[in-house]
């Protein structure tokens, strides 16, 4: 039985560490970016070390008080706040920001969980290396949250998710014990992999306090192109062609729908549309090559062969860093344009590449049977991750669609499940998709997850209600 963090219990917690480690929760810690959840809390803690985190967790466990780990607050599924239940302790990692060490020759960087993702990228660059994980929220997302949600981003196609970029972690378990697993090893077969258990657990099994991260050589030649494709199916054929020509040098492959350009024109006209006539489908592709190879020449050859094959109709290859930035600004601004328009229902899904185009066609057909909508379908299709968002018609609002939101949500998620996909590609389960996990998850997997949760967190204090129902 969990207890609320009453003023009396909060006073006891305050006695465990210096006074400046505590504050009253502010609005920023009780809201999430989309405004879907309003959180509650009895106290905000801002420890400076893993030992202080352990002290707080031990005290919370003794008092049976829930703990909500807090990173940068950029999560989109409500995992970083509790909207109901006993008042929790919010435990922020924002003071644990150190880059503890960099080993360029090993391609390893050790960072504390509160380090901003962009600062980790900069530290790697200063050492002549690349930390490739990149997301729209990289200026505020923190490494602990990135790992806890197994974030994806634009470079998953080449470098993998956050899980693939992590060699070791340091974490505080629900008992208050410290797991000191900051390994720099690439091979370590000494029993169960607790690192991979805690990465992606969304703070329900412990609090990540530091991580050993993989670095890579910086590509010597980078090329970026915006290509007009004839269909999503043609886009996937283009991806296969690109991989045949340059192998794993394809860093990013982003599908952009014409509706995205329309939303940008309506809400963010400062973002320039380079097309004279906006195509229904475009692809943003980026290559990273080393040695004496020319990324621009590789893109030119790809365009020529794709044009001959009827996969592309037009294209632009960035001639300088300014043009490259302009192309990426288009892609990275689409989520904000979506937010300003106001979606009826938003979806982060992944599908096998072989059925992705079928999903786009069938999803549109099934939604048409429900009513008239605008669909902005885009995303990291190189790794099968599709952001499929449904909007009101011009002149209408979400309120005009009554209960259609739940119908849209269910129709699309049922279709994802039918086609062997996942209803959570890179944003996690949080609190938003707990019902989905129960509806579509394998029963044996769910039972095993509950057993693991019960074994590591028998009191249920760690982020209760996230991932698994409290």
């Amino acid at each position: 039985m969990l207890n609320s963090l009453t003023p009396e219990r909060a006073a006891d917690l305050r006695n465990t560490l210096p006074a400046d480690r505590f504050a009253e929760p502010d609005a920023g810690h009780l809201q999430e970016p989309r405004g879907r959840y309003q959180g509650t809390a009895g106290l905000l803690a801002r420890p400076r070390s893993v030992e202080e985190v352990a002290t707080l967790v031990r005290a919370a466990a003794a008092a049976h008080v829930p703990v909500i780990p807090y990173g940068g607050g950029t999560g989109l599924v409500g995992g970083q706040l509790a909207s109901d239940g006993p008042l929790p302790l919010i435990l922020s990692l924002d003071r644990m920001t150190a880059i503890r060490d960099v080993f360029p020759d090993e391609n390893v960087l050790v960072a504390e969980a509160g380090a901003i993702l962009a600062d980790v990228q900069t530290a790697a660059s200063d050492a002549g290396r690349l930390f490739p994980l990149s997301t729209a929220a990289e200026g505020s997302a923190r490494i602990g949250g990135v790992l806890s949600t197994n974030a994806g981003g634009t470079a998953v196609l080449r470098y993998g998710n956050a899980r693939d970029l992590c060699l070791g972690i340091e974490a505080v378990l629900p008992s208050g014990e410290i797991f000191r697993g900051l390994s720099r090893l690439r091979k370590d077969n000494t029993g169960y992999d607790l690192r991979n258990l805690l990465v992606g657990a969304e703070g329900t099994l412990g609090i990540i306090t530091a991580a050993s991260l993989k670095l890579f050589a910086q590509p010597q030649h980078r090329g970026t192109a915006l290509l007009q494709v004839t269909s999503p199916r043609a886009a996937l054929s283009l991806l296969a062609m690109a991989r045949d020509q340059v192998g794993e040098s394809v860093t990013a492959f982003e599908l952009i729908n014409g509706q995205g350009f329309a939303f940008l024109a309506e809400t963010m006209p400062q973002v320039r549309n380079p097309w004279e006539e906006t195509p229904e489908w475009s692809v943003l592709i980026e290559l990273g090559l080393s040695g004496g190879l020319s990324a621009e020449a590789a893109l030119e050859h790809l365009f020529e062969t794709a044009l001959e094959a009827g996969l592309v109709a037009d294209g632009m290859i960035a001639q300088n860093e300014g043009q490259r930035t302009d192309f990426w600004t288009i892609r990275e601004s689409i989520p904000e344009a979506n937010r300003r328009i106001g979606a009826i229902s938003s979806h982060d899904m992944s599908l096998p590449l072989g059925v992705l185009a079928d999903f786009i066609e069938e999803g549109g057909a099934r939604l048409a049977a429900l009513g008239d909508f605008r669909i902005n379908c885009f995303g990291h299709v190189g790794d099968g991750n599709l952001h499929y968002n449904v909007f009101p018609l011009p002149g209408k609002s979400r309120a005009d669609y009554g209960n259609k939101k739940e119908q849209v949500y269910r129709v699309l998620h049922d279709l994802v499940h039918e086609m062997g996909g996942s209803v959570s590609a890179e944003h996690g389960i949080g609190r938003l998709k707990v019902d989905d996990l129960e509806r579509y998850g394998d029963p044996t997997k769910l039972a095993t997850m509950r057993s693991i949760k019960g074994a590591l967190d028998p009191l249920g204090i760690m982020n209760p209600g996230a991932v698994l129902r409290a």
Side-chain angles (χ1 to χ4, degrees):
M1 184 73 171
L2 293 178
N3 296 319
S4 280
L5 188 55
T6 60
E8 294 77 17
R9 293 190 179 102
D12 290 339
L13 273 177
R14 286 179 183 272
N15 289 331
T16 62
L17 293 176
D20 68 352
R21 306 303 200 264
F22 300 95
E24 295 302 316
D26 57 26
H29 290 94
L30 301 177
Q31 296 174 348
E32 52 88 41
R34 292 180 179 175
R36 293 179 175 179
Y37 293 92
Q38 179 67 39
T40 62
L43 185 65
L44 170 67
R46 301 173 66 206
R48 294 182 178 273
S49 68
V50 62
E51 289 79 14
E52 291 189 351
V53 174
T55 296
L56 287 166
V57 172
R58 282 195 298 271
H64 290 206
V65 166
V67 178
I68 308 296
Y70 196 91
T74 61
L76 299 178
V77 291
Q80 70 272 42
L81 47 82
S83 56
D84 54 25
L87 285 178
L89 168 72
I90 295 179
L91 201 155
S92 172
L93 282 298
D94 67 344
R95 284 181 169 173
M96 296 179 59
T97 61
I99 305 297
R100 292 188 184 173
D101 222 330
V102 183
F103 304 90
D105 292 341
E106 297 181 21
N107 280 324
V108 177
L109 179 150
V110 182
E112 291 186 336
I116 298 290
L117 174 54
D119 293 339
V120 172
Q121 295 168 346
T122 299
S125 179
D126 290 345
R129 294 293 184 262
L130 171 72
F131 183 65
L133 198 149
S134 178
T135 72
E138 62 193 28
S140 51
R142 299 181 186 274
I143 286 298
V146 165
L147 290 170
S148 292
T149 58
N150 189 28
T154 58
V156 171
L157 178 61
R158 181 169 183 175
Y159 297 104
N161 293 307
R163 184 189 307 279
D164 302 303
L165 300 172
C166 181
L167 291 170
I169 65 167
E170 172 191 271
V172 174
L173 300 181
S175 62
E177 296 173 288
I178 299 174
F179 168 53
R180 301 187 187 275
L182 283 178
S183 172
R184 310 199 311 264
L185 300 176
R186 308 280 169 151
K187 292 183 176 180
D188 182 5
N189 286 323
T190 52
Y192 302 144
D193 192 341
L194 298 185
R195 168 202 55 178
N196 272 334
L197 184 61
L198 291 165
V199 173
E202 301 186 49
T204 62
L205 301 178
I207 301 174
I208 294 173
T209 55
S212 303
L213 305 171
K214 292 182 185 178
L215 304 182
F216 296 83
Q218 293 181 342
Q220 295 179 352
H221 304 285
R222 186 167 55 185
T224 309
L226 189 63
L227 305 179
Q228 181 183 142
V229 292
T230 54
S231 67
R233 203 173 301 279
L236 294 169
S237 296
L238 176 64
L239 172 62
M241 180 181 287
R243 284 177 143 171
D244 285 344
Q245 292 184 7
V246 298
E248 296 307 308
S249 296
V250 183
T251 302
F253 195 88
E254 302 283 315
L255 184 69
I256 301 175
N257 182 238
Q259 189 65 66
F261 284 103
F263 284 172
L264 287 171
E266 183 175 343
T267 64
M268 303 173 71
Q270 71 275 16
V271 178
R272 189 179 72 87
N273 182 351
W275 301 112
E276 290 186 10
E277 184 174 343
T278 301
E280 184 177 4
W281 297 102
S282 305
V283 162
L284 177 62
I285 181 171
E286 183 157 293
L287 308 182
L289 301 175
S290 300
L293 302 174
S294 167
E296 184 175 333
L299 286 170
E300 289 175 353
H301 178 62
L302 174 65
F303 174 75
E304 291 168 359
T305 52
L307 186 65
E308 291 176 3
L311 301 178
V312 302
D314 199 358
M316 292 167 276
I317 298 173
Q319 299 300 303
N320 50 54
E321 186 61 23
Q323 290 182 357
R324 175 186 175 274
T325 299
D326 286 346
F327 289 169
W328 274 108
T329 297
I330 293 167
R331 169 60 184 87
E332 292 169 351
S333 299
I334 290 174
E336 175 60 20
N338 284 346
R339 188 189 67 79
R340 296 184 185 187
I341 293 292
I344 297 170
S345 188
S346 300
H347 307 266
D348 162 47
M349 55 186 63
S350 63
L351 293 139
L353 290 183
V355 301
L356 194 145
D358 295 330
F359 175 87
I360 293 174
E361 294 173 5
E362 181 63 21
R366 293 194 185 187
L367 289 181
L370 292 180
D372 295 325
F373 307 95
R374 287 182 291 178
I375 299 170
N376 190 12
C377 171
F378 67 103
H380 322 301
V381 297
D383 55 52
N385 184 189
L386 197 63
H387 298 300
Y388 196 105
N389 302 326
V390 183
F391 297 85
L393 293 179
K396 292 188 175 183
S397 70
R398 286 176 284 193
D400 296 318
Y401 287 79
N403 65 351
K404 289 291 177 68
K405 173 182 172 63
E406 294 302 321
Q407 295 178 44
V408 167
Y409 190 89
R410 189 56 58 218
V411 161
L412 290 175
H413 282 195
D414 283 351
L415 181 58
V416 169
H417 184 62
E418 288 173 25
M419 291 189 167
S422 168
V423 297
S424 177
E426 63 177 357
H427 293 160
I429 295 296
R431 289 170 174 79
L432 178 66
K433 296 183 178 180
V434 170
D435 289 343
D436 286 311
L437 184 60
E438 293 175 348
R439 181 183 179 93
Y440 303 115
D442 176 75
T444 301
K445 175 183 177 179
L446 286 170
T448 305
M449 288 173 61
R450 293 188 184 104
S451 295
I452 293 170
K453 171 72 170 174
L456 291 183
D457 185 18
L459 299 176
I461 67 167
M462 295 304 304
N463 211 4
V467 184
L468 296 171
R469 195 175 302 281

